[in-house]
Every structure is written in structure tokens, then in C-alpha cells.
Amino acid sequence: MSKLPNKITEYPDPTPGALVEIQHLKQYFPVGEGLFKRNYIKAVDDVSFYIKKGETLGLVGESGCGKTTVGRTLLRLYEPTDGRILYDGEDITHVDMLPYRRKMQIVFQDPFASLNPRMTVGDIIGEPIDIHKLASNKKERQEKIIQMLEKVGLNSEHANRYPHEFSGGQRQRIGIARALAVNPEFIVCDEPISALDVSIQAQIINMFEELQEEIGLTYLFIAHDLSVVKHISNRIGVMYLGKLVEIAESYELTFHSAHPYTRSLISAIPVPDPVVSRSRKRIILEGDVPSPLNPPSGCRFRTRCPYADKLCEEQEPVLREIGSGHYAACHHLDKVGS
């Protein structure tokens, strides 16, 4: 039977210059019935990282690895099981979030499901303006709505239409405009392009980059496509089965990855040059991802890792620094690098 974690009582000091930070974050979801038979899905299990002001941290991994749960727990859309959430050095793990909702926003994965079909686009964007009382009258409210629409490449005529009248890319722009309406500092981008056509994806990515440069936004960019993440991110974290297994600067992680799981992800990135593509060695992982309801003992990646041995079965690897700002959790980094 899975148990709730022991509460951590001591945490490290906040990282200097970090706008957002999570320390030993855990998110367990109860499943099953009965007082003595309750199990827990360990969706996020002891994850720590920081994001500096104006930076983009990419978070990648297979479906079900806990990426989205990290983003939503960070915003307190889910209450964390354990751990600490810091915003600009302040502990916000147990405070009233309304003042922070203005500063921290989210762009959801599915633009078809995240917009209310009964509301006009103007009301969708205007709702957060109303909640946070950012407009003193109807005229100012309307001006802000039009300003947000224009910022994301739409126009004032779109304000009176309904979501079903727009394409997927346009709906995602509306979702971004809604997030920008409260003038946030930090945005969680939860797989914002995975539901869009490839031709539209580049437009949305470019818009995120332009907005960051213009407004000075900070992003947590969640995706399963490493080729997209390495383009937009300053640093990249790799998750596997609720754990952070490697984190480093974008270039460092792409060309000098250390963890065997990261290497398999990078080997799957398509290369447009057929000559280079044929010479690359594709690392194919065997087996399936274990259940987060009953994760393997020791290293969670060991059931699919070609380097796994008795040590990996008995002892969980610690995320340790192997280079400047480059951290990896593996017992056999010497073998992986050889």
C-alpha cells in the first residue's frame, strides 16, 4: 500500500534571482476506497527547480510523467501533498492565491476545451479583468480587450464572436490573450501547441518569444516534443515517472546529455539532413513506463535502462551537479558517457 510522504520540515534558502521556485514538491492523488486500502498515484515525487526572471524553463518527458501536474500544482490549481512553492522569494504554499493569480497565469493545452463556448471572446478576455477590477468603466474594459486581441494577432471584430467560429490556432491566441489580460509576470505554458497544426505551431512559438521580449515574461514551457522545447528554452528539465532526472542549459542538455533517458529522447529528434540522419544512432527504449501507482524500487528508470544493475534496484539516485548548472540523477553516468 502506498503511503503519504513524511512531511519535510526544513527547506533550503530561496535561490537568488529566482522568480518561481519549487522545493521537494510532491503531488499524490488518492485512488481506491476504504480507510485502510487507499493507494496513491505518485504523480510528482520530490521535484525541485527554479526559474529566473525573464527565463524560459522547458519541461519534457513522456505522457504521464507528471509535467502538467507540476505546472498546475505550482499554480496551486492542485494543492501540493508536500513541498514548498516560492514566488519572488515568498512562500506561497498555503496563502490566499487571489493576489498571485494576477502575477501567475496558465495557457492550457486544448484550445477547444479551455474556452467557454457560451461566452463571446470579449467576455472570455474581459472576465479576468473584471475579477481583478482592472478597468474602472466599460470603455476602459473594452479598450483593454481590444488591446489584448491585437497583441496576439487578432482584431476588434473578433470580440463579439464565439469560440466555435475560430480555428484551433486562433482559439489558442484567445487563450493567450486571456492570460495576458491581467498583465502577468509568469505563465505556465501547458503543451500550448500540441493540439495545433504544424504550420500554426511555429507562429505560436514565435509569438511567445516576441511577448517575452516585449513584456519581460517568465515561462514554464511544458511539452513532450524536445525539438520545440530546445528552440524556446534557456534551460530544460527532463522528467520520468514523477521524478526530475536531468536539468541543464538548453545547448548543454541537447549536445552533452548525461542521463540515458535524456539521450533516448534526443536521439528521436528528427534531423532534416538525410545523410546526417542515416549516420545517427537511434536509442530505442524497451518495455513500457511502469505505473505511478506502484513505481519500481530504487531508480524508476531501471526497468528500461540498459545500464541498470543491483545498485539501481536498491538505491534511488540523487540529482547531483555534474557540470556548471548541469544536474543528473543516475548511478552510472560514467558508463553512459563512454
Side-chain angles (χ1 to χ4, degrees):
M1 181 174 69
S2 297
K3 295 180 181 179
L4 280 167
N6 296 323
K7 294 289 181 182
I8 296 168
T9 54
E10 290 188 19
Y11 292 95
D13 293 333
T15 303
L19 180 66
V20 178
E21 185 171 8
I22 56 173
Q23 297 177 345
H24 302 290
L25 190 70
K26 296 182 181 180
Q27 184 62 67
Y28 292 6
F29 295 109
V31 292
E33 296 179 358
L35 187 62
F36 301 106
K37 293 185 178 179
R38 177 160 286 189
N39 288 328
Y40 292 89
I41 291 177
K42 298 177 180 179
V44 179
D45 200 5
D46 199 5
V47 170
S48 302
F49 61 73
Y50 64 86
I51 312 172
K52 294 201 170 182
K53 290 180 183 178
E55 179 185 45
T56 299
L57 176 71
L59 203 57
V60 299
E62 290 169 289
S63 296
C65 71
K67 310 182 297 295
T68 292
T69 305
V70 166
R72 295 190 178 194
T73 306
L74 192 159
L75 295 176
R76 295 260 313 276
L77 299 180
Y78 302 144
E79 289 300 324
T81 305
D82 195 19
R84 191 161 77 147
I85 305 164
L86 303 173
Y87 188 86
D88 212 3
E90 297 291 319
D91 188 344
I92 63 166
T93 318
H94 303 292
V95 303
D96 175 23
M97 282 298 289
L98 187 60
Y100 290 95
R101 294 280 177 237
R102 269 195 67 182
K103 300 175 181 180
M104 308 167 74
Q105 283 289 309
I106 185 168
V107 175
F108 293 99
Q109 174 180 3
D110 187 356
F112 299 92
S114 61
L115 304 178
N116 189 333
R118 293 186 177 87
M119 292 172 71
T120 64
V121 167
D123 286 336
I124 288 169
I125 298 169
E127 187 176 35
I129 295 172
D130 298 338
I131 290 169
H132 294 283
K133 299 178 174 60
L134 301 179
S136 54
N137 53 56
K138 284 188 177 180
K139 185 185 176 187
E140 187 182 350
R141 179 184 186 268
Q142 189 64 19
E143 285 173 354
K144 282 182 177 288
I145 290 167
I146 292 168
Q147 185 185 356
M148 289 303 113
L149 284 169
E150 290 173 348
K151 199 178 278 289
V152 297
L154 300 173
N155 59 55
S156 57
E157 294 174 7
H158 294 128
N160 297 320
R161 298 186 189 176
Y162 289 86
H164 73 267
E165 299 178 62
F166 294 89
S167 67
Q170 288 174 317
R171 289 188 209 192
Q172 195 58 288
R173 288 173 188 268
I174 295 164
I176 295 166
R178 176 177 59 186
L180 294 173
V182 292
N183 195 24
E185 299 171 329
F186 171 69
I187 298 180
V188 173
C189 306
D190 182 15
E191 303 214 30
I193 61 167
S194 63
L196 306 178
D197 292 341
V198 175
S199 58
I200 308 298
Q201 289 182 359
Q203 295 176 19
I204 299 296
I205 288 291
N206 291 338
M207 189 171 68
F208 275 121
E209 291 183 320
E210 287 163 11
L211 289 167
Q212 185 173 42
E213 198 171 312
E214 183 185 335
I215 311 172
L217 291 167
T218 304
Y219 294 134
L220 173 62
F221 196 93
I222 298 166
H224 58 262
D225 187 345
L226 191 53
S227 60
V228 171
V229 171
K230 74 179 180 128
H231 173 73
I232 195 173
S233 304
N234 302 100
R235 291 185 302 126
I236 300 174
V238 180
M239 284 190 70
Y240 182 83
L241 205 62
K243 292 279 188 181
L244 194 66
V245 298
E246 188 165 7
I247 186 166
E249 287 188 4
S250 181
Y251 180 88
E252 175 73 11
L253 189 105
T254 306
F255 293 100
H256 303 108
S257 58
H259 196 280
Y261 177 61
T262 311
R263 291 201 161 193
S264 72
L265 290 181
I266 290 167
S267 76
I269 297 175
V271 177
D273 187 333
V275 177
V276 176
S277 182
R278 279 195 294 270
S279 65
R280 290 174 79 219
K281 186 183 177 185
R282 176 80 168 88
I283 302 170
I284 299 172
L285 297 176
E286 295 183 0
D288 297 319
V289 182
S291 168
L293 190 62
N294 186 27
S297 61
C299 176
R300 294 194 176 182
F301 184 62
R302 68 176 176 81
T303 57
R304 303 174 75 194
C305 180
Y307 307 99
D309 59 12
K310 191 77 173 172
L311 177 64
C312 304
E313 189 178 334
E314 295 171 351
Q315 194 173 318
E316 187 176 314
V318 179
L319 196 69
R320 56 190 173 91
E321 191 167 17
I322 59 172
S324 180
H326 190 166
Y327 295 80
C330 179
H331 291 304
H332 302 299
L333 292 173
D334 53 334
K335 293 181 185 176
V336 181
S338 59

